[in-house]
Amino acid sequence: MRLRELKLQGFRNLQDLRVEPSTGFNVIWGDNAQGKTNLLEAIYLLGQLKSFRSNRRETLIKIGRDEARLSAGICMSGVCHRFELLLTREGQSADIDGKRIVNAAEMLGRLKTVLFTSEEISLIRGNPGGRRSLLDRAIFQTNSGFLQIARDFQRCLKQRNRLLKLAAEDAQLRPWSQKLAESGARLRQAREIFLQRLRPRLRDCYRTICGGTEEVDLGFSERIGLTTDDLLAELHRTAARERQYQQTLAGPHRDDLQFRIDGRPLKNYGSQGQQRSFLLAFKTAQVLDLEEQTRQSPVLLLDDLNSELDSFRRNAFFEFLLAHRGQVFLTTTDISSLRERDLNPIRCFEIKAGKVQPDPSMDS
Amino acid sequence: MLDSIPSFARLVAELAKFPGIGKKTATRLAFFLLRQPRAEAEALAGAILELKEKIGFCSRCFHITESDPCPICTDPGRDEGLLCVVEQPQDLIAIERSRSFRGRYHVLQGALSPLDGIGPDQLRFSELLQRLKGGAVRELLVATNFTVEGDATALYLAGQVRPLGIRVTRLAHGIPTGSDLEFVDDATVNRAVEGRRDL
């Protein structure tokens, strides 16, 4: 999967731009607060239709402009497509090859990207919701049916919670419990299938890329049941408390995905360095899994990772990147250390006050 | 611009209230009507008024009808023992079009959706139970939509009806007939695989 051309108009602080990235490495460099991450964000948006930094669309539109227009030429499986995303304050619309996409799910996840950003460390440290979303976003890229499964479950959950708020009688609650258990079991199964594939890769990546000697693992905190009947039994056990708290207390929306190191929660027992390594190993394992499942290399977006990693991990990680056949975009403030590496083919873009200038001296 | 022609603007505004019709299409339709002979416009206006005057709901099955009870409820050639439950009149019409079902119907006029404030009391549930208690029905075919809400409605119905000793069935779902597997969406294929049957 390759991004051949990227055109941005009215996006964030960036001046209108058009770039033709390298098929290999693309280094976006410049001082802090110049707009480097905004470029990564634009690419991410074209794949996910959602930003990784802000849920508010209006913040994506340049001050003084009415709309932001993102356009990209993307080659996948030998065919080039044009993806366009138009953001206005009222809403967003997407076109592929000039045809309007009515159902966002048609575009969502077509451009597969894997984002590496140290900001996601907060997901490891934070509440279970963040870790679940890290997992669910990864699953969605390999399993297009997962979106529908997740949507059905969310819908059931909202409907059932409303009934609990209304203190509805059991006869009314029962069909929603059944539907919640069915869709919830499907969601848990999809997560478990993904985790089973990811675990061995995660261990491997942690050892080879991060040089960690600890045993790492990830999984849900207690033995959670994977069948509809299991979930129905859980709902039955929590029934009295559900009435009290007026919300659904058992199900995949409450399952705690634990990142573990030597059998203990990484969140409480891992050092900062171990947490960073874990995240890096998780993402790397995700890339490898995605390549195997889709037979295509995702576009890697690395936000300021260079400064995060100590030199050992940096070397092993760059070895992984060099072996990776896909396209890489990375931001950095320190271009000199990258010059020493044999990254090829490479193209550099310097960003100054929102303005992008390709640097011909670094082109190969 | 339309403000200077109030009668035209009014028609456009009324037409734009239709589902699936925006201001552009409404303007096109209004120009079309303008070019039509007066008799055509009168026929349309008459048809709309007649619709509102003549059509009501059948007091037995709650399908739309001009006579009460409706022709389906009074048709002697239908099987009294088979009752098909649908959400909306248009669902009934879809099943009738297929000519595959020769029983009677009951239109719930919606599906359970607590988020929209729709519970059993907002639907034609109690009327359905009354009909079933009459004793003639052997089998209830639940043909609510295959959405989260339609499924929950079906489950609720099954829970209420089974104690009466009536068989409850649900429409099958999966790959549409005459379609190529390759063009069917992932979620449908997924469900079809889950719901596979022995040959």
Side-chain angles (χ1 to χ4, degrees):
Chain A
M1 191 161 294
R2 299 270 188 282
L3 198 71
R4 294 280 285 269
E5 185 204 8
L6 179 68
K7 248 163 56 180
L8 301 177
Q9 291 162 288
F11 185 70
R12 290 264 191 198
N13 78 327
L14 297 174
Q15 290 200 17
D16 292 358
L17 67 89
R18 178 182 171 279
V19 292
E20 283 178 29
S22 145
T23 57
F25 290 89
N26 294 280
V27 178
I28 301 154
W29 65 285
D31 291 337
N32 284 319
Q34 303 298 309
K36 298 189 298 293
T37 304
N38 295 345
L39 211 67
L40 292 191
E41 186 182 32
I43 298 169
Y44 186 89
L45 257 166
L46 282 161
Q48 304 289 312
L49 305 180
K50 216 173 164 181
S51 167
F52 55 86
R53 296 148 100 199
S54 164
N55 285 324
R56 292 173 53 220
R57 203 182 320 102
E58 60 269 25
T59 61
L60 302 173
I61 301 169
K62 191 171 176 134
I63 294 165
R65 296 282 275 269
D66 293 329
E67 55 179 47
R69 208 175 269 275
L70 290 69
S71 167
I74 293 159
C75 290
M76 41 182 85
S77 315
V79 184
C80 289
H81 298 283
R82 175 145 301 273
F83 281 42
E84 280 174 303
L85 195 61
L86 177 70
L87 310 171
T88 62
R89 285 181 177 79
E90 290 75 41
Q92 68 183 37
S93 63
D95 287 21
I96 295 181
D97 297 327
K99 280 175 288 205
R100 181 57 44 93
I101 303 302
V102 183
N103 181 0
E106 271 183 71
M107 179 147 162
L108 193 57
R110 290 260 311 258
L111 167 63
K112 294 194 193 308
T113 58
V114 175
L115 172 76
F116 292 71
T117 168
S118 56
E119 280 171 42
E120 285 184 331
I121 291 284
S122 63
L123 297 180
I124 290 186
R125 294 199 195 119
N127 59 34
R131 288 187 294 282
R132 277 195 303 269
S133 86
L134 203 61
L135 179 73
D136 287 350
R137 275 184 282 142
I139 298 172
F140 170 69
Q141 297 214 314
T142 61
N143 176 356
S144 59
F146 187 69
L147 185 69
Q148 192 59 45
I149 293 175
R151 280 186 181 160
D152 278 356
F153 174 75
Q154 284 302 331
R155 183 84 190 156
C156 289
L157 182 64
K158 276 192 191 154
Q159 294 277 23
R160 190 171 185 274
N161 281 345
R162 175 61 59 91
L163 282 179
L164 286 166
K165 282 226 162 52
L166 297 170
E169 54 184 31
D170 282 341
Q172 284 200 45
L173 201 59
R174 218 169 286 129
W176 292 105
S177 304
Q178 177 71 31
K179 282 305 289 177
L180 184 96
E182 283 172 16
S183 57
R186 224 175 267 136
L187 187 59
R188 280 178 171 177
Q189 286 160 16
R191 283 178 179 166
E192 193 51 42
I193 288 168
F194 180 79
L195 285 174
Q196 278 180 15
R197 283 204 317 261
L198 197 75
R199 259 183 218 119
R201 289 199 192 281
L202 174 77
R203 287 198 194 103
D204 197 39
C205 290
Y206 190 81
R207 231 170 276 136
T208 56
I209 291 177
C210 311
T213 50
E214 308 89 351
E215 193 62 39
V216 293
D217 188 23
L218 80 170
F220 287 96
S221 51
E222 54 233 79
R223 283 259 348 125
I224 58 156
L226 294 177
T227 67
T228 304
D229 286 345
D230 292 335
L231 195 43
L232 277 173
E234 285 172 47
L235 289 172
H236 187 71
R237 279 198 295 277
T238 53
R241 277 196 301 136
E242 282 193 336
R243 288 293 185 185
Q244 190 185 340
Y245 292 102
Q246 302 190 333
Q247 53 177 305
T248 302
L249 296 176
H253 65 299
R254 308 269 297 195
D255 295 344
D256 186 10
L257 177 68
Q258 278 194 1
F259 290 29
R260 288 184 285 257
I261 185 157
D262 283 336
R264 294 194 291 190
L266 177 71
K267 174 184 171 176
N268 311 103
Y269 294 92
S271 69
Q272 281 221 13
Q274 284 171 327
Q275 290 176 353
R276 287 189 205 294
S277 290
F278 197 111
L279 185 63
L280 189 66
F282 177 87
K283 292 287 182 166
T284 315
Q286 189 195 335
V287 172
L288 294 172
D289 179 67
L290 199 52
E291 282 178 349
E292 191 189 83
Q293 296 292 315
T294 64
R295 310 251 163 240
Q296 288 191 55
S297 297
V299 175
L300 305 193
L301 307 174
L302 319 181
D303 191 22
D304 199 20
L305 223 63
N306 211 24
S307 65
E308 288 289 333
L309 302 168
D310 58 50
S311 67
F312 175 80
R313 279 182 297 166
R314 208 179 316 176
N315 285 331
F317 186 64
F318 272 102
E319 267 170 46
F320 159 75
L321 287 182
L322 284 166
H324 171 75
R325 295 173 309 277
Q327 199 175 21
V328 178
F329 289 81
L330 57 99
T331 66
T332 187
T333 48
D334 169 26
I335 194 155
S336 57
S337 68
L338 284 170
R339 282 180 206 273
E340 295 157 17
R341 294 181 188 279
D342 187 22
L343 303 178
N344 199 12
I346 189 169
R347 188 149 242 212
C348 297
F349 303 94
E350 187 189 1
I351 298 211
K352 237 182 209 164
K355 199 168 160 54
V356 179
Q357 303 145 318
D359 174 359
S361 71
M362 280 285 288
D363 281 355
S364 59
Chain B
M1 185 205 84
L2 286 179
D3 294 347
S4 57
I5 329 163
S7 54
F8 192 86
R10 182 181 158 204
L11 179 62
V12 169
E14 291 295 340
L15 289 170
K17 290 179 188 169
F18 281 52
I21 296 204
K23 208 168 172 193
K24 261 187 194 164
T25 311
T27 309
R28 233 179 86 212
L29 292 175
F31 271 116
F32 171 77
L33 287 168
L34 193 62
R35 283 195 305 271
Q36 292 285 95
R38 186 183 174 87
E40 287 289 327
E42 276 170 357
L44 177 65
I48 293 171
L49 285 176
E50 196 178 56
L51 181 85
K52 298 311 284 184
E53 276 159 17
K54 290 200 176 158
I55 293 192
F57 292 113
C58 171
S59 58
R60 214 171 285 175
C61 71
F62 299 97
H63 185 39
I64 50 172
T65 180
E66 288 190 12
S67 56
D68 190 17
C70 73
I72 295 176
C73 284
T74 50
D75 179 354
R78 287 178 179 264
D79 185 351
E80 288 286 344
L82 261 176
L83 190 68
C84 175
V85 180
V86 293
E87 289 180 19
Q88 299 292 354
Q90 51 267 46
D91 303 328
L92 185 158
I93 290 165
I95 294 176
E96 276 297 287
R97 219 169 33 218
S98 75
R99 300 178 183 278
S100 54
F101 180 77
R102 294 303 292 166
R104 299 201 196 277
Y105 291 93
H106 190 86
V107 182
L108 287 175
Q109 299 185 338
L112 293 175
S113 179
L115 288 170
D116 300 310
I118 300 174
D121 295 343
Q122 280 68 45
L123 301 172
R124 301 295 182 178
F125 258 117
S126 55
E127 291 89 343
L128 174 65
L129 289 178
Q130 279 308 313
R131 285 181 82 181
L132 295 175
K133 280 173 185 155
V137 178
R138 303 182 309 275
E139 177 179 341
L140 188 73
L141 168 57
V142 185
T144 51
N145 289 330
F146 288 94
T147 56
V148 167
E149 289 76 16
D151 280 347
T153 308
L155 287 167
Y156 178 77
L157 261 173
Q160 302 285 302
V161 174
R162 274 208 198 92
L164 304 176
I166 295 168
R167 182 181 176 207
V168 184
T169 54
R170 179 92 166 105
L171 277 191
H173 65 311
I175 312 293
T177 309
S179 63
D180 284 326
L181 205 48
E182 61 173 324
F183 297 125
V184 179
D185 69 280
D186 298 354
T188 304
V189 176
N190 221 314
R191 292 298 182 88
V193 170
E194 278 176 20
R196 65 187 181 276
R197 282 198 314 218
D198 288 318
L199 273 176

